[in-house]
Amino acid sequence: MNLTTRAARRVVAATAMIAAAILVPTAALATSGRSAAPASTAAPKCATAALTAWMPAGPGNGYAGGAVYELEISNTSARACTLYGFPGVSALGSNGHQLGSPASWDHAHPSQLLTLSPGATAHAVLRIVDVSVLGNPKQPCNPTKAAALRIIPPNDRTSIEIPFSFNACATPGPIYLSVRTTQSGAGRSEEHTSELQSLRH
């Protein structure tokens, strides 16, 4: 075999190796692109317009110093959406003005992302303190009658008003409302029992 033939074969072999080097990463990229296809899009956050807030009929579960209620938040839209965290809660007078300070957040339970299908309900435990035992000369309560609750669902700034009469503080300062993070499902009587037990200890 002469030198010219050997040189020609070497050129052909080198060209084949270069082509293979180009094709391998291209195939790998194509494969990785298929395996990394995005998962289905998660449900959007629940806007206030998609929700209805309400309180179950009947009195709350009383204890020495207040009562415990279950605040219900239902998805009344035609599509699933998500809730995460605490609702904002405050009392309103008959004139629509806020009474006293808004509810504090009770971190007894961790927040979890909740997906509400159309018609599904989540709940948050709401504690209302007996305002007759609150206040002092430096931070008076000035008890008055609330006509409604203002609810701001998690994820949004628009509020929902629920007619609900109870004794409230007219003056900001004393904390007479507290709310826990939203939990899956409608409120249950055992939730009342658990809350009462924690408050009594």
Side-chain angles (χ1 to χ4, degrees):
M1 181 180 297
N2 59 36
L3 295 176
T4 302
T5 303
R6 290 179 180 176
R9 289 183 175 179
R10 288 175 182 171
V11 171
V12 172
T15 302
M17 292 177 64
I18 293 171
I22 292 171
L23 290 173
V24 169
T26 301
L29 285 172
T31 302
S32 64
R34 287 193 298 271
S35 63
S40 58
T41 304
K45 296 178 180 179
C46 295
T48 300
L51 302 171
T52 296
W54 49 286
M55 299 279 279
N61 276 14
Y63 67 96
V68 176
Y69 300 84
E70 286 160 343
L71 170 63
E72 313 285 353
I73 301 176
S74 300
N75 178 7
T76 51
S77 74
R79 61 184 297 185
C81 60
T82 59
L83 287 177
Y84 180 83
F86 294 84
V89 180
S90 56
L92 300 178
S94 56
N95 57 4
H97 293 165
Q98 181 173 314
L99 297 175
S101 298
S104 63
W105 289 355
D106 180 346
H107 293 269
H109 300 304
S111 294
Q112 297 179 334
L113 184 66
L114 309 177
T115 299
L116 296 185
S117 58
T121 297
H123 74 282
V125 174
L126 175 65
R127 176 187 177 192
I128 302 178
V129 174
D130 180 1
V131 297
S132 66
V133 302
L134 295 179
N136 57 62
K138 293 184 178 180
Q139 199 175 55
C141 169
N142 294 325
T144 188
K145 184 68 71 174
L149 285 169
R150 175 190 287 143
I151 310 300
I152 302 177
N155 316 323
D156 212 335
R157 296 182 179 180
T158 307
S159 63
I160 303 170
E161 293 185 11
I162 305 174
F164 189 67
S165 180
F166 63 99
N167 294 323
C169 288
T171 307
I175 302 299
Y176 62 97
L177 298 170
S178 67
V179 64
R180 290 186 173 180
T181 189
T182 49
Q183 302 287 306
S184 62
R188 301 174 298 278
S189 59
E190 55 262 36
E191 187 78 33
H192 282 309
T193 303
S194 175
E195 174 71 0
L196 287 172
Q197 288 176 345
S198 69
L199 290 172
R200 288 168 176 164
H201 289 83

